[in-house]
Amino acid sequence: MTATIIDGKKTAEKIRSEIKEYVSGLKKKPGLAVIQVGKNPASTSYVNLKEKDCKEVGIYSKIIRLVEEISEEELVEKIIELNKDNSIHGILVQLPLPKHVNEEVAIDMINPLKDVDGFHPVNAGNFFIGKAGFVPCTPKGVIRLLKEYDIPIEGKNAVVVGRSNIVGKPIAMLLMMNNATVTICHSKTKNLAEYTKNADILVVAVGKPGLIKAEMVKEDAAIIDVGITRTGNLLKGDVDFDSVSKKASYIAPVPGGVGPMTRAMLLENTIEAYNNIERG
Ligand code: NDP
């Protein structure tokens, strides 16, 4: 069997065009502020893409580039300024931050109503108890891809490899909220293959190219590769695409799978923030 490729790029394009249409009918423009500290090349590329996406759909974007040496206090002041700015509905601090700045302090300063990344403890808490709030973009993108491709979730065995607060954990939560039976694996899991082989849906968010090989997946499983490792200009996922795509029924590749969806979900969350703020 050769897997159907889950085309995140095409799905994200469709979502962007729906957002563009929606924004064109608004009197006041939604606004997204992105703060980048320092010049990490991967961060620069992500921030540029966010700016491009906003432009495409008609969202006002304010990109704030701060020097690497900025103090935590100065960064916090900037965030407070954006919290008060009526033209801004979403605020995102591009991670990682330099070591001398505490990421938690920065995230905690964002007004939860403008926290379009969904990383603020208020949003994370609301999400955990199933209350309305922002859902982090990558996990939201993973579930949207499964739904766009009509991949059943309810009653399925879902395995998530990776348990970070911003990727693995919320993906597992969303799968559970959609009635899958979820297993979470991590670096201390013994005999990873024993778990992955049982997965009808396997989501891998680790950052180790080639971690998942064909013999570790179930015949006809749906595989979502979230991992991204950069080598020069190349992006590599965690799943050995060539072998796994011959065995799975669906596969979201890297690049072109979850990555574009993460960006599209950020636009969606910005619209959600706009609607909450402007329309109460
Ligand atoms: P983290 O480094 O925070 O988490 C990695 C997770 O993988 C940890 O839970 C770790 O376990 C686990 N892990 C490490 N080694 C193994 C192993 N050998 N077997 C099983 N589990 C292992 O990364 P993130 O969660 O932030 O990101 C994960 C990947 O997703 C990265 O490659 C990142 O670049 C990518 N990513 C992609 C996005 C996209 O849009 N496509 C967006 C965000 C991230 P432990 O907890 O025990 O340390």
Side-chain angles (χ1 to χ4, degrees), residues 250-271:
Y250 289 92
I251 186 164
V254 175
V258 176
M261 289 300 288
T262 296
R263 286 161 49 197
M265 294 301 101
L266 174 65
L267 300 175
E268 263 198 16
N269 280 358
T270 304
I271 299 299

Side-chain angles (χ1 to χ4, degrees), residues 138 161-164 167 186-187 205-208 211 226-228 258-259 262:
T138 301
V161 190
R163 59 172 167 182
S164 71
V167 191
H186 45 77
S187 69
V206 172
K208 293 216 155 92
L211 177 72
V226 184
I228 297 179
V258 176
T262 296

Side-chain angles (χ1 to χ4, degrees), residues 267-278:
L267 300 175
E268 263 198 16
N269 280 358
T270 304
I271 299 299
E272 194 179 321
Y274 172 91
N275 286 335
N276 290 341
I277 292 169
E278 295 294 331

